[in-house]
């Protein structure tokens, strides 16, 4: 019996820590004699676990199902699996799948192409789109065209905008709406005549999308007149009128509309008030915007806060601080912080310093009180208050850093010294002190870095001993302290940072702080520490349980240091083929060291949860054990 199995596609692991110096043969020469194109500096993308990769054999097996399986659901699943193989050889199969009889399969093929590099899939998507526009009957189903439009929206290439605009004449309003929304995301707009027809469309969804797209159109008197009519039409939907106001704000509202806009800013519907605020910001109505900072609607206040920052309304400083400290919504809080940074006056810095000192004392008292005995309900209430104060302290610290103000500077350092290594405010205080650039904070940052390193190692050991109850690790706080130490050039903190690079206990390792250390170490290297740092980075490449991103950043750092002694390790990483991202990082590092660009082969197969990876023979039945086997088998007596 033949059975589709998930077992194949696996391969024997190469290059373990024990034999790292041996360069294994991968199946083809990775370092070729022919010149390769220079590799730009790579940056880590995706998740930090190993990427799936399907070799050519897997592509062929999936291709057979994608093109020949009688069940369209099987073909659709095979097409979607091809998009996860990270192998560009799958594009030829997807090209054929675009002409499948079933529209589900065609839709899946269009979306699958988006998972590959744009230069390889762009031409194919463009041809498919032009074919769909020239002959609508080829794509009779609405979902068929919707899938193709989604693919264009995902890839966001300007060259696809022109053929996409041809679908604006499609009879289905859903298609017209999707096309307009896609063009808006690409910041492209059709001609004023076509856009004007769509603004007057019978479908409300099309009108809304067309009015939104008008913000990206060229300045045209007829288009502005159309938007004016929508704004003044009380029978039109509030969402469409609000969007018309927003588009008019970007196109440039005429002066004759000022009275209308002022009256609309008092409209009972908050959607219309939001649009009015955007126009008022362009026209510079500072007093009215100040009044709207007290609006009952949170979205309206949000737009008013943004407008106050752009116009630098100094008179709104007190109200903005009130919103910053008391407002629960995170988006409104962040907008108030940005607005205060944009206003950027001495009064803002002074007020921020006073509030920081006041809130800091409250925060430390709450931390102390949380250690006392209390009911669960009391603890949760107090902890919510603590988190709110931590958010406010972080924002005030960033405001003072942006304004380059020494207000409450000693208080910020004092808070850094007093909070625990797991405290959420530690990350933001450390980051803001690092960005501030004053080396007076160096001693405290180094001390807290040592505290985080000691605690992290203890937490990893405890997690290994009791994995059911893992201990929290201050990854974010440690990373912020490492970055602050590098910005302040604290050279004597390098040994502590190197501890994070090797931090781990068995398979439990420091992840984010580890790769931050690997990435930042070259900035603190001098002639004495260079050999030690290079040796540590080479060890990181060979560690069995080191996260992929740690190895990625270590390879890049070796390239930046031009470490010729690490060439064998980098070539091993390139030829081992464990992950494509590691291969690219190793190739870039070799290029930086030798001046020659190596070619990059295929990584080792690593199967995902795909519909097929191999075919193997299994028996029709499970043979029953004989009597002799039962006698010798202890489990049969139980």
């Amino acid at each position: 019996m033949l059975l589709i199995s998930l077992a194949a596609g696996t391969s024997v692991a190469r290059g373990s820590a024990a034999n790292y110096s041996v360069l294994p043969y991968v199946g083809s020469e990775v370092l070729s004699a022919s010149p390769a194109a220079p590799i730009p500096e790579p940056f880590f993308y995706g998740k930090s676990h190993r990427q799936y990769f399907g070799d050519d054999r897997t592509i062929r097996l999936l291709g057979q199902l994608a093109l020949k399986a009688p069940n369209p659901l099987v073909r659709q699943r095979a097409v979607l699996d091809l998009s996860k193989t990270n192998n560009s050889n799958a594009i030829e199969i997807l090209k054929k799948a675009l002409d499948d009889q079933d529209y589900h399969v065609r839709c899946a093929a269009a979306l699958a192409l988006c998972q590959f590099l744009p230069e390889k899939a762009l031409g194919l998507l463009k041809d498919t789109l032009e074919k769909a526009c020239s002959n609508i009957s080829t794509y009779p189903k609405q979902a068929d065209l919707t899938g193709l439009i989604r693919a264009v929206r995902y890839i966001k290439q300007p060259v696809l905008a022109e053929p996409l605009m041809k679908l604006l004449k499609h009879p289905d309003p859903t298609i017209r709406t999707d096309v307009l929304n896609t063009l808006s995301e690409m910041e492209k707009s059709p001609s004023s005549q076509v856009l004007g027809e769509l603004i007057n469309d019978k479908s409300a969804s099309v009108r809304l999308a067309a009015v939104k797209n008008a913000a990206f159109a060229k300045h045209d008197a007829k288009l502005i007149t159309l938007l004016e009519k929508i704004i003044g039409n009380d029978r039109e939907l509030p969402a469409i009128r609000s969007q018309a106001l927003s588009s008019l704000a970007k196109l440039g509202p005429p002066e004759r509309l000022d009275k209308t806009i002022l009256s609309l800013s008092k409209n009972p519907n908050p959607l219309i008030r939001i649009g009015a605020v955007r126009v008022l910001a362009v026209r510079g109505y500072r007093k009215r915007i100040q009044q709207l900072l007290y609006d009952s609607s949170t979205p309206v206040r949000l737009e008013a806060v943004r407008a106050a920052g752009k116009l630098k309304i100094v008179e709104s400083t007190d109200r903005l601080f009130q919103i910053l400290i008391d407002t629960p919504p995170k988006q409104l809080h962040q907008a108030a912080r940005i607005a205060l940074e944009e206003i950027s006056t001495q009064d803002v810095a002074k007020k921020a310093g006073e509030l920081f000192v006041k809130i800091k004392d409250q925060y430390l008292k709450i931390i102390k009180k949380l250690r006392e005995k209390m009911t669960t309900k009391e603890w949760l209430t107090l902890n919510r208050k603590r988190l709110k104060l931590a958010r406010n302290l972080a924002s005030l610290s960033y405001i003072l850093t942006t304004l380059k103000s020494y207000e409450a500077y000693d208080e910020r350092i004092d808070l850094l010294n007093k909070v625990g290594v797991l405290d959420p405010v530690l990350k933001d205080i450390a980051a803001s002190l690092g960005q501030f650039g004053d080396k007076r904070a160096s001693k405290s940052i180094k001390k807290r870095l040592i505290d985080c390193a000691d605690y992290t190692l203890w937490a990893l050991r405890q997690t290994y001993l009791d994995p059911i109850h893992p201990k929290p690790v201050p990854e974010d706080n440690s990373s912020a302290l490492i970055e602050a130490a590098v910005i302040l050039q604290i050279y004597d903190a390098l040994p502590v940072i190197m501890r994070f690079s090797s931090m781990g206990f068995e398979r439990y390792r420091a992840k984010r702080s580890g790769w931050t250390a690997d990435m930042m170490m070259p900035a603190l290297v001098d002639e004495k520490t260079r050999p030690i740092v290079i040796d540590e980075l080479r060890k990181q490449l060979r560690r069995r349980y080191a996260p992929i991103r740690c190895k990625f950043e270590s390879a890049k750092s070796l390239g930046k240091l031009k470490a010729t002694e690490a060439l064998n390790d980098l070539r091993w990483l390139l030829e081992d083929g464990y992950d494509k991202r590691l291969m690219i990082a190793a190739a870039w590092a070799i290029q930086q060291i030798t001046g020659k660009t190596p070619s990059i082969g295929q990584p080792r197969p690593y199967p995902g949860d795909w519909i097929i990876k191999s075919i193997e023979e299994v028996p029709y039945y499970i043979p029953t054990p004989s009597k002799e086997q039962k006698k010798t088998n202890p489990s049969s007596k139980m």
Side-chain angles (χ1 to χ4, degrees):
M1 177 183 178
L2 291 180
L3 180 71
I4 296 176
S5 170
L6 297 176
T10 56
S11 57
V12 179
R14 300 184 179 95
S16 61
N19 61 348
Y20 73 90
S21 59
V22 180
L23 301 182
Y25 182 68
V26 186
S28 62
E29 286 295 331
V30 177
L31 297 176
S32 62
S34 58
I39 303 171
E41 182 179 356
F43 295 95
F44 195 85
Y45 63 91
K47 296 182 179 180
S48 57
H49 56 65
R50 186 179 177 186
Q51 279 189 336
Y52 296 137
F53 182 78
D55 59 357
D56 292 341
R57 180 170 176 268
T58 302
I59 298 296
R60 287 196 301 271
L61 291 171
L62 286 173
Q64 290 174 10
L65 287 179
L67 301 178
K68 297 180 180 180
N71 190 332
L73 294 177
V74 174
R75 297 200 303 273
Q76 181 189 21
R77 171 66 189 271
V79 164
L80 292 174
D81 286 346
L82 283 168
S83 69
K84 302 173 186 176
T85 58
N86 291 305
N87 190 336
S88 58
N89 292 336
I91 293 178
E92 287 300 319
I93 298 173
L94 296 177
K95 181 180 179 181
K96 297 177 182 178
L98 287 169
D99 296 326
D100 195 275
Q101 296 178 354
D102 189 85
Y103 75 93
H104 290 100
V105 180
R106 296 198 297 268
C107 178
L111 293 172
L113 285 171
C114 302
Q115 305 301 319
F116 298 94
L117 293 175
E119 55 266 22
K120 295 186 177 181
L122 187 59
L124 193 54
L125 267 179
K126 185 180 179 182
D127 293 341
T128 307
L129 189 60
E130 289 177 344
K131 179 182 177 182
C133 297
S134 60
N135 187 9
I136 301 296
S137 61
T138 309
Y139 290 80
K141 299 287 186 180
Q142 173 194 323
D144 204 351
L145 277 175
T146 303
L148 188 58
I149 295 167
R150 281 176 58 196
V152 174
R153 184 184 299 184
Y154 184 89
I155 204 167
K156 285 184 183 177
Q157 293 294 321
V159 70
L160 298 175
E162 188 175 347
L164 188 65
M165 290 178 189
K166 296 177 182 178
L167 290 176
L168 290 172
K169 297 181 180 179
H170 196 279
D172 192 329
T174 307
I175 299 299
R176 298 198 297 275
T177 303
D178 286 345
V179 171
L180 284 167
N181 289 330
T182 303
L183 290 173
S184 296
E185 290 191 17
M186 299 168 69
E187 297 187 359
K188 296 290 182 180
S189 183
S191 63
S192 298
Q193 181 180 355
V194 175
L195 193 59
E197 294 174 0
L198 293 167
I199 287 174
N200 293 319
D201 198 275
K202 294 180 180 179
S203 171
S205 62
V206 175
R207 293 201 304 275
L208 179 61
V211 167
K212 180 180 178 181
N213 185 262
F216 306 102
K218 295 180 180 179
H219 192 279
D220 184 82
K222 294 182 179 179
L223 185 59
I224 290 176
T225 304
L226 277 173
L227 293 175
E228 286 181 37
K229 290 181 180 178
I230 293 173
I231 292 168
N233 186 3
D234 294 335
R235 295 183 179 179
E236 186 57 276
L237 294 174
I240 297 176
R241 294 177 70 190
S242 174
Q243 193 60 59
L245 284 164
S246 301
S247 297
L248 193 62
K250 292 184 179 181
L251 291 174
E255 188 177 349
R256 64 178 180 270
L257 281 177
D258 287 359
K259 290 184 179 181
T260 305
I261 302 301
L262 285 169
S263 64
L264 288 175
S265 68
K266 300 176 183 179
N267 192 286
N269 193 299
L271 290 175
I272 295 176
R273 296 202 302 275
I274 290 171
V277 171
R278 292 170 181 167
V279 180
L280 290 172
V282 176
R283 297 295 301 155
Y285 279 86
R286 303 164 69 91
K287 289 185 178 180
R288 181 58 188 145
I289 288 173
Q290 280 182 258
Q291 295 171 359
L292 288 167
L293 288 172
Y294 295 88
D295 195 276
S296 59
S297 171
T298 299
V300 177
R301 290 201 307 275
L302 176 63
E303 288 300 326
V305 166
R306 290 170 176 168
K310 291 177 183 177
L311 295 176
K312 300 183 185 299
I313 304 176
V314 179
E315 296 81 5
S316 64
T317 300
D318 291 339
R319 174 57 180 163
L320 290 173
F321 270 114
Q322 185 182 358
I323 292 172
L324 180 80
I325 301 301
D326 299 333
T327 303
K330 183 179 180 180
Q331 194 174 11
L332 186 55
H333 172 86
Q334 291 177 341
R337 171 191 147 189
I338 294 170
L340 288 166
E341 290 174 351
E342 289 174 334
I343 292 173
S344 185
T345 61
Q346 288 296 327
D347 291 337
V348 171
K350 187 177 179 181
K351 180 75 172 175
E354 292 173 356
L355 285 171
F356 187 91
V357 174
K358 180 181 177 182
I359 295 174
K360 174 208 159 192
D361 294 336
Q362 297 175 6
Y363 188 73
L364 293 175
K365 287 179 182 178
I366 287 178
I367 290 176
K368 188 176 180 180
K369 194 172 182 180
L370 281 170
R371 297 168 186 164
E372 300 174 0
K373 289 185 178 180
M374 61 182 74
T375 64
T376 303
K377 186 177 181 181
E378 290 174 343
W379 189 92
L380 291 173
T381 303
L382 200 60
N383 190 57
R384 281 195 294 268
K385 186 177 180 181
R386 178 184 73 95
L387 293 175
K388 182 180 177 182
L389 292 177
R391 179 198 70 172
N392 294 339
L393 286 170
S395 293
L396 291 169
S397 183
Y398 280 121
I399 289 171
L400 291 168
T401 298
T402 303
L403 301 184
K404 296 295 179 183
S405 172
Y406 278 94
E407 294 284 344
Y409 183 75
D410 293 333
E411 297 290 335
R412 285 180 267 169
I413 295 178
D414 184 59
L415 182 63
L416 181 73
N417 290 326
K418 289 183 177 179
V419 295
V421 293
L422 293 173
D423 198 292
V425 82
L426 179 62
K427 175 188 69 174
D428 297 298
I429 298 297
S432 62
L433 287 172
Q435 293 171 16
F436 194 78
D438 193 318
K439 291 195 174 184
R440 281 190 291 169
S442 300
K443 185 178 178 180
S444 298
I445 286 175
K446 181 185 174 183
K447 179 180 178 298
R448 299 325 311 270
L449 201 55
I450 294 172
D451 294 340
C452 284
D454 293 340
Y455 178 84
T456 299
L457 184 57
W458 174 84
L460 293 174
R461 284 175 177 170
Q462 294 300 314
T463 302
Y464 173 75
L465 295 174
D466 186 11
I468 298 176
H469 303 95
K471 300 294 181 182
V473 178
E475 294 278 17
D476 293 341
N477 294 348
S478 302
S479 299
L481 287 165
I482 291 170
E483 292 175 5
V486 170
I487 294 172
L488 295 177
Q489 295 291 291
I490 309 175
Y491 287 95
D492 56 349
L494 182 60
V496 188
I497 295 174
M498 289 176 64
R499 285 180 62 189
F500 283 99
S501 177
S502 58
M503 187 77 68
F505 195 80
E506 294 296 332
R507 64 183 181 276
Y508 297 99
R509 308 202 66 83
K511 296 179 181 178
R512 182 173 178 181
S513 54
W515 69 61
T516 303
D518 295 328
M519 180 170 54
M520 294 292 179
M521 276 194 291
L524 297 179
V525 167
D526 54 23
E527 293 182 1
K528 292 182 179 179
T529 57
R530 176 185 166 87
I532 303 172
V533 170
I534 289 176
D535 185 59
E536 175 58 37
L537 291 171
R538 291 178 66 190
K539 288 179 181 178
Q540 187 73 302
L541 295 182
R542 308 190 293 264
R543 285 194 177 100
R544 183 178 180 184
Y545 293 117
I548 286 178
R549 185 162 182 183
C550 289
K551 295 186 177 185
F552 179 91
E553 299 296 347
S554 297
K556 281 187 61 178
S557 294
L558 288 168
K560 292 175 182 178
L561 292 172
K562 298 189 182 300
T564 54
E565 55 267 53
L567 275 174
N568 283 338
D569 301 281
L570 293 169
R571 286 178 179 139
W572 166 78
L573 190 65
L574 176 62
E575 295 191 12
D576 182 56
Y578 183 77
D579 188 273
K580 186 64 174 284
R581 295 165 296 183
L582 294 182
M583 296 172 70
I584 294 171
W588 180 82
I590 293 170
Q591 174 185 269
Q592 296 299 109
I593 297 170
T594 64
K596 298 179 181 179
T597 305
S599 60
I600 303 173
Q602 286 189 350
R604 282 188 270 150
Y606 183 58
D609 186 20
W610 300 333
I611 194 170
I612 184 173
K613 296 183 188 71
S614 75
I615 297 177
E616 62 182 6
E617 190 169 350
V618 296
Y620 280 101
Y621 63 93
I622 301 175
T624 55
S626 62
K627 294 181 179 180
E628 293 181 0
Q629 288 176 333
K630 287 183 179 180
K631 291 179 181 179
T632 57
N633 187 4
S635 62
S636 62
K637 299 178 182 180
M638 296 177 63

Short mmCIF file of all heavy atoms in Angstrom, two decimals, residues 327-355:
data_model
loop_
_atom_site.label_atom_id
_atom_site.label_comp_id
_atom_site.label_asym_id
_atom_site.label_seq_id
_atom_site.Cartn_x
_atom_site.Cartn_y
_atom_site.Cartn_z
N THR A 327 -5.22 59.75 31.00
CA THR A 327 -5.99 59.06 29.97
C THR A 327 -5.62 57.58 29.89
O THR A 327 -4.45 57.25 29.71
CB THR A 327 -5.75 59.71 28.59
OG1 THR A 327 -6.10 61.08 28.67
CG2 THR A 327 -6.58 59.03 27.53
N PRO A 328 -6.59 56.68 29.99
CA PRO A 328 -6.29 55.24 29.87
C PRO A 328 -5.90 54.79 28.45
O PRO A 328 -4.99 53.98 28.32
CB PRO A 328 -7.57 54.56 30.34
CG PRO A 328 -8.33 55.60 31.09
CD PRO A 328 -7.96 56.91 30.46
N PRO A 329 -6.60 55.26 27.37
CA PRO A 329 -6.26 54.72 26.04
C PRO A 329 -4.79 54.95 25.68
O PRO A 329 -4.29 56.07 25.77
CB PRO A 329 -7.19 55.50 25.10
CG PRO A 329 -8.33 55.94 25.94
CD PRO A 329 -7.74 56.20 27.29
N LYS A 330 -4.13 53.89 25.28
CA LYS A 330 -2.71 53.95 24.97
C LYS A 330 -2.41 54.87 23.79
O LYS A 330 -1.44 55.63 23.80
CB LYS A 330 -2.20 52.53 24.67
CG LYS A 330 -0.71 52.44 24.42
CD LYS A 330 -0.30 51.01 24.17
CE LYS A 330 1.19 50.91 23.90
NZ LYS A 330 1.61 49.49 23.64
N GLN A 331 -3.25 54.82 22.75
CA GLN A 331 -3.00 55.63 21.55
C GLN A 331 -3.09 57.11 21.87
O GLN A 331 -2.27 57.91 21.39
CB GLN A 331 -4.02 55.25 20.47
CG GLN A 331 -3.66 55.77 19.08
CD GLN A 331 -4.62 55.25 18.03
OE1 GLN A 331 -5.65 54.68 18.35
NE2 GLN A 331 -4.29 55.47 16.77
N LEU A 332 -4.06 57.51 22.68
CA LEU A 332 -4.20 58.92 23.06
C LEU A 332 -3.04 59.36 23.95
O LEU A 332 -2.54 60.49 23.82
CB LEU A 332 -5.54 59.11 23.79
CG LEU A 332 -5.94 60.55 24.14
CD1 LEU A 332 -5.94 61.44 22.91
CD2 LEU A 332 -7.31 60.56 24.80
N HIS A 333 -2.60 58.49 24.83
CA HIS A 333 -1.45 58.79 25.69
C HIS A 333 -0.19 59.04 24.85
O HIS A 333 0.54 60.01 25.07
CB HIS A 333 -1.23 57.62 26.65
CG HIS A 333 0.03 57.71 27.45
ND1 HIS A 333 0.10 58.40 28.64
CD2 HIS A 333 1.26 57.19 27.22
CE1 HIS A 333 1.33 58.32 29.11
NE2 HIS A 333 2.05 57.57 28.27
N GLN A 334 0.07 58.17 23.88
CA GLN A 334 1.25 58.33 23.03
C GLN A 334 1.15 59.59 22.17
O GLN A 334 2.16 60.28 21.95
CB GLN A 334 1.41 57.09 22.15
CG GLN A 334 1.82 55.84 22.92
CD GLN A 334 1.90 54.62 22.05
OE1 GLN A 334 1.34 54.57 20.95
NE2 GLN A 334 2.57 53.58 22.53
N ALA A 335 -0.06 59.92 21.70
CA ALA A 335 -0.23 61.13 20.90
C ALA A 335 0.06 62.38 21.74
O ALA A 335 0.66 63.34 21.24
CB ALA A 335 -1.65 61.19 20.34
N ALA A 336 -0.36 62.38 23.01
CA ALA A 336 -0.08 63.51 23.89
C ALA A 336 1.42 63.66 24.13
O ALA A 336 1.95 64.78 24.13
CB ALA A 336 -0.81 63.33 25.22
N ARG A 337 2.10 62.54 24.28
CA ARG A 337 3.56 62.60 24.46
C ARG A 337 4.25 63.19 23.23
O ARG A 337 5.12 64.06 23.34
CB ARG A 337 4.08 61.19 24.74
CG ARG A 337 5.59 61.08 24.72
CD ARG A 337 6.03 59.63 24.74
NE ARG A 337 7.26 59.47 23.98
CZ ARG A 337 7.78 58.30 23.67
NH1 ARG A 337 7.18 57.18 24.03
NH2 ARG A 337 8.91 58.22 22.99
N ILE A 338 3.85 62.74 22.04
CA ILE A 338 4.45 63.26 20.81
C ILE A 338 4.14 64.74 20.63
O ILE A 338 5.00 65.53 20.21
CB ILE A 338 3.94 62.44 19.60
CG1 ILE A 338 4.46 61.00 19.68
CG2 ILE A 338 4.38 63.06 18.28
CD1 ILE A 338 3.83 60.06 18.69
N ALA A 339 2.91 65.14 20.96
CA ALA A 339 2.53 66.55 20.85
C ALA A 339 3.38 67.43 21.76
O ALA A 339 3.83 68.51 21.36
CB ALA A 339 1.05 66.71 21.16
N LEU A 340 3.62 66.99 22.99
CA LEU A 340 4.44 67.76 23.92
C LEU A 340 5.89 67.83 23.43
O LEU A 340 6.56 68.87 23.59
CB LEU A 340 4.38 67.13 25.31
CG LEU A 340 3.04 67.31 26.05
CD1 LEU A 340 2.96 66.38 27.25
CD2 LEU A 340 2.88 68.77 26.49
N GLU A 341 6.38 66.77 22.83
CA GLU A 341 7.74 66.80 22.26
C GLU A 341 7.82 67.76 21.08
O GLU A 341 8.85 68.43 20.88
CB GLU A 341 8.14 65.39 21.82
CG GLU A 341 8.39 64.43 22.98
CD GLU A 341 8.64 63.01 22.52
OE1 GLU A 341 8.46 62.73 21.31
OE2 GLU A 341 9.01 62.17 23.37
N GLU A 342 6.74 67.85 20.31
CA GLU A 342 6.72 68.79 19.16
C GLU A 342 6.63 70.24 19.64
O GLU A 342 7.24 71.13 19.02
CB GLU A 342 5.54 68.46 18.24
CG GLU A 342 5.74 67.17 17.46
CD GLU A 342 4.51 66.78 16.65
OE1 GLU A 342 3.39 67.16 17.04
OE2 GLU A 342 4.67 66.07 15.63
N ILE A 343 5.89 70.51 20.71
CA ILE A 343 5.80 71.88 21.24
C ILE A 343 7.17 72.32 21.76
O ILE A 343 7.62 73.44 21.50
CB ILE A 343 4.73 71.96 22.35
CG1 ILE A 343 3.34 71.75 21.73
CG2 ILE A 343 4.79 73.29 23.08
CD1 ILE A 343 2.22 71.64 22.74
N SER A 344 7.84 71.47 22.52
CA SER A 344 9.26 71.61 22.85
C SER A 344 9.63 72.99 23.38
O SER A 344 10.41 73.72 22.77
CB SER A 344 10.10 71.29 21.60
OG SER A 344 11.47 71.31 21.89
N THR A 345 9.10 73.36 24.54
CA THR A 345 9.45 74.62 25.19
C THR A 345 10.04 74.33 26.57
O THR A 345 9.96 73.21 27.08
CB THR A 345 8.22 75.52 25.35
OG1 THR A 345 7.25 74.85 26.19
CG2 THR A 345 7.59 75.84 24.00
N GLN A 346 10.63 75.35 27.19
CA GLN A 346 11.20 75.20 28.53
C GLN A 346 10.11 74.89 29.55
O GLN A 346 10.33 74.15 30.51
CB GLN A 346 11.94 76.48 28.93
CG GLN A 346 13.25 76.69 28.18
CD GLN A 346 14.27 75.61 28.51
OE1 GLN A 346 14.31 75.07 29.62
NE2 GLN A 346 15.07 75.26 27.52
N ASP A 347 8.92 75.45 29.35
CA ASP A 347 7.81 75.17 30.26
C ASP A 347 7.42 73.70 30.22
O ASP A 347 7.07 73.10 31.26
CB ASP A 347 6.60 76.04 29.90
CG ASP A 347 6.84 77.51 30.21
OD1 ASP A 347 7.71 77.78 31.06
OD2 ASP A 347 6.17 78.36 29.59
N VAL A 348 7.47 73.11 29.02
CA VAL A 348 7.16 71.69 28.90
C VAL A 348 8.18 70.86 29.67
O VAL A 348 7.83 69.93 30.41
CB VAL A 348 7.14 71.27 27.41
CG1 VAL A 348 7.03 69.75 27.28
CG2 VAL A 348 5.97 71.93 26.68
N ALA A 349 9.46 71.19 29.53
CA ALA A 349 10.52 70.46 30.23
C ALA A 349 10.39 70.60 31.75
O ALA A 349 10.52 69.62 32.50
CB ALA A 349 11.88 70.94 29.77
N LYS A 350 10.10 71.81 32.19
CA LYS A 350 9.97 72.06 33.63
C LYS A 350 8.79 71.29 34.22
O LYS A 350 8.89 70.65 35.27
CB LYS A 350 9.81 73.56 33.89
CG LYS A 350 9.83 73.93 35.36
CD LYS A 350 9.74 75.44 35.53
CE LYS A 350 9.75 75.82 37.02
NZ LYS A 350 9.65 77.29 37.20
N LYS A 351 7.66 71.35 33.52
CA LYS A 351 6.46 70.64 33.98
C LYS A 351 6.70 69.13 34.00
O LYS A 351 6.28 68.43 34.93
CB LYS A 351 5.29 70.99 33.06
CG LYS A 351 3.97 70.34 33.42
CD LYS A 351 3.32 70.96 34.61
CE LYS A 351 1.93 70.43 34.83
NZ LYS A 351 1.31 70.95 36.07
N ALA A 352 7.37 68.61 32.96
CA ALA A 352 7.65 67.18 32.89
C ALA A 352 8.56 66.75 34.04
O ALA A 352 8.37 65.68 34.64
CB ALA A 352 8.30 66.83 31.55
N GLY A 353 9.55 67.57 34.37
CA GLY A 353 10.43 67.25 35.49
C GLY A 353 9.70 67.23 36.82
O GLY A 353 9.91 66.33 37.65
N GLU A 354 8.82 68.20 37.04
CA GLU A 354 8.06 68.25 38.29
C GLU A 354 7.15 67.03 38.42
O GLU A 354 7.05 66.42 39.50
CB GLU A 354 7.23 69.54 38.33
CG GLU A 354 8.07 70.81 38.46
CD GLU A 354 7.23 72.06 38.32
OE1 GLU A 354 6.01 71.93 38.04
OE2 GLU A 354 7.77 73.17 38.48
N LEU A 355 6.48 66.68 37.34
CA LEU A 355 5.59 65.51 37.37
C LEU A 355 6.37 64.22 37.59
O LEU A 355 5.91 63.31 38.29
CB LEU A 355 4.78 65.43 36.08
CG LEU A 355 3.63 66.42 35.93
CD1 LEU A 355 3.06 66.37 34.52
CD2 LEU A 355 2.52 66.11 36.95
#
